[in-house]
Amino acid sequence: MKSLLATLLSLLLIMSGFAAQAETSWPDFITIGGGGSSATFYAVATAVANLISENSKCAATGSATNGGTNNMQLLASKEIEMGMADQNTAMQAYLGLNDFEGKGLPGLRAIAVIYRGYFAVQAVPSSGIKSWKDLTNKRICVGMAASGTETVTRQVFAAMGYDYSTSKDIVAEYVGASSGTDLLRNGQADAMTFLAPIPDSSQTELVLTTGATPISLSEEGIKTLTLEGSAFAAGTIPANTYNGQDEDVFTVYTPMVLWSTEDMDEEVAYQITKLIYENLGGLALSHNVFSKINNDNIIAGISIPLHAGAQRFYKEIGLIK
């Protein structure tokens, strides 16, 4: 009996030691880069930050930023510990391509896919834009500078034969959804691009106030964007997603992912992943995108390594062998 009690006491001490180690591994602060204050990224970052703060001794905060590209830059400079970005922009940062040439982020690591971001071009009726061929000489809101939306817009437009960074074929307005909506309402712009879930509240508002209609990408553009190894996949915005949208709109999407870096403690990354997975119902009260996360899509499409802590959690629940 004494031997059994001694063994049980030893086990309790070991378990309490593990618990203490996990508790003390939390940093004092975690900042999660989101997007503009009205953007889905910001809502996601704030919801996850609140969840962390409520379940640990860590003070976590969702931060307003310029979006995905900016978040990759902030992760590289260690100004934030986590951040949202689309898979396409993150891959460029990871490999040091395009905007990240000479300043890559090889230590980038994935935590979870939060939703799919569908690319959309919404054009107001007065623009005369009926298809992608009508974009020449139009004034288009392409997303804030250093945002994932702008990075993706540039790449998508290039696949359709437009290069607004070096050509005057398109006049680009580097603004987010809120400012872009004002420009379209006031007749100062013709169209606006989005990288957003379906449906998207910003686009719903734009459509209701301006009568904007989404247009399909070119078939060749979609083929170019979805070549093997690409971060994009072909996608459809179903008819009637938005008011007055009578037909399916053919486009591309990319996973929108919560990222960290290999610098984050493994136990902390494990606990954050676990918190998100086990509290999707509560998170969905903050934003509907969380209600669509499931075992089939929470790590689907990620081509950058998972954080070791996240990987350990997904192995425990059987999503990774």
Side-chain angles (χ1 to χ4, degrees):
M1 179 64 71
K2 288 183 179 180
S3 176
L4 177 60
L5 288 174
T7 301
L8 290 173
L9 181 60
S10 296
L11 288 172
L12 286 172
L13 288 172
I14 291 171
M15 291 174 66
S16 64
F18 284 150
Q21 181 181 6
E23 181 178 354
T24 56
S25 68
W26 286 99
D28 292 332
F29 304 98
I30 288 177
T31 301
I32 306 175
S37 58
S38 62
T40 302
F41 272 7
Y42 181 73
V44 168
T46 300
V48 174
N50 289 341
L51 180 67
I52 294 171
S53 295
E54 292 165 2
N55 290 276
S56 73
K57 293 183 178 180
C58 172
T61 305
S63 177
T65 70
N66 277 4
T69 300
N70 189 206
N71 289 337
M72 294 296 98
Q73 295 165 341
L74 294 171
L75 280 171
S77 61
K78 304 184 187 301
E79 295 177 66
I80 61 175
E81 288 71 42
M82 305 180 76
M84 288 293 298
D86 64 272
Q87 167 74 23
N88 179 71
T89 299
M91 180 59 72
Q92 293 182 39
Y94 180 68
L95 298 175
L97 303 175
N98 300 325
D99 292 336
F100 303 95
E101 187 173 353
K103 44 189 175 182
L105 187 53
L108 186 65
R109 297 292 182 266
I111 299 295
V113 175
I114 306 300
Y115 63 96
R116 289 177 174 179
Y118 287 78
F119 184 81
V121 181
Q122 293 277 3
V124 295
S126 60
S127 68
I129 299 173
K130 302 296 183 182
S131 77
W132 64 272
K133 295 179 181 179
D134 302 323
L135 297 176
T136 303
N137 296 325
K138 301 300 183 181
R139 188 175 295 271
I140 301 175
C141 302
V142 297
M144 293 186 292
S147 69
T149 298
E150 195 280 314
T151 297
V152 169
T153 297
R154 200 174 341 128
Q155 189 168 346
V156 171
F157 277 24
M160 296 192 296
Y162 296 100
D163 182 2
Y164 59 76
S165 61
T166 59
S167 169
K168 294 184 179 179
D169 285 347
I170 289 176
V171 180
E173 295 286 352
Y174 296 88
V175 295
S178 180
S179 297
T181 297
D182 289 339
L183 291 178
L184 267 66
R185 284 174 181 158
N186 298 329
Q188 296 173 291
D190 299 300
M192 180 158 54
T193 65
F194 294 85
L195 189 63
I198 298 176
D200 172 39
S201 59
S202 294
Q203 292 180 71
T204 298
E205 178 186 357
L206 176 69
V207 168
L208 290 175
T209 57
T210 68
T213 304
I215 63 171
S216 291
L217 303 185
S218 67
E219 185 176 341
E220 286 303 313
I222 293 174
K223 286 181 180 179
T224 299
L225 290 163
T226 56
L227 293 173
E228 186 176 355
S230 168
F232 295 109
T236 302
I237 301 174
N240 302 314
T241 296
Y242 300 107
N243 188 51
Q245 180 201 338
D246 299 327
E247 300 177 347
D248 289 346
V249 171
F250 302 105
T251 184
V252 294
Y253 71 84
T254 184
M256 311 299 267
V257 184
L258 179 62
W259 304 94
S260 186
T261 69
E262 60 185 3
D263 293 335
M264 175 172 278
D265 180 83
E266 180 179 333
E267 181 64 27
V268 171
Y270 171 89
Q271 294 295 342
I272 290 174
T273 309
K274 188 172 188 287
L275 279 172
I276 292 171
Y277 185 86
E278 294 181 348
N279 291 277
L280 292 173
L283 288 168
L285 299 176
S286 299
H287 201 290
N288 187 52
V289 293
F290 289 104
S291 68
K292 299 179 181 180
I293 298 177
N294 55 49
N295 286 355
D296 294 330
N297 59 30
I298 194 168
I299 55 175
I302 296 177
S303 54
I304 294 170
L306 289 163
H307 193 287
Q311 185 177 50
R312 174 157 61 93
F313 175 75
Y314 294 128
K315 282 184 176 179
E316 284 185 4
I317 62 173
L319 293 188
I320 298 176
K321 293 183 179 180

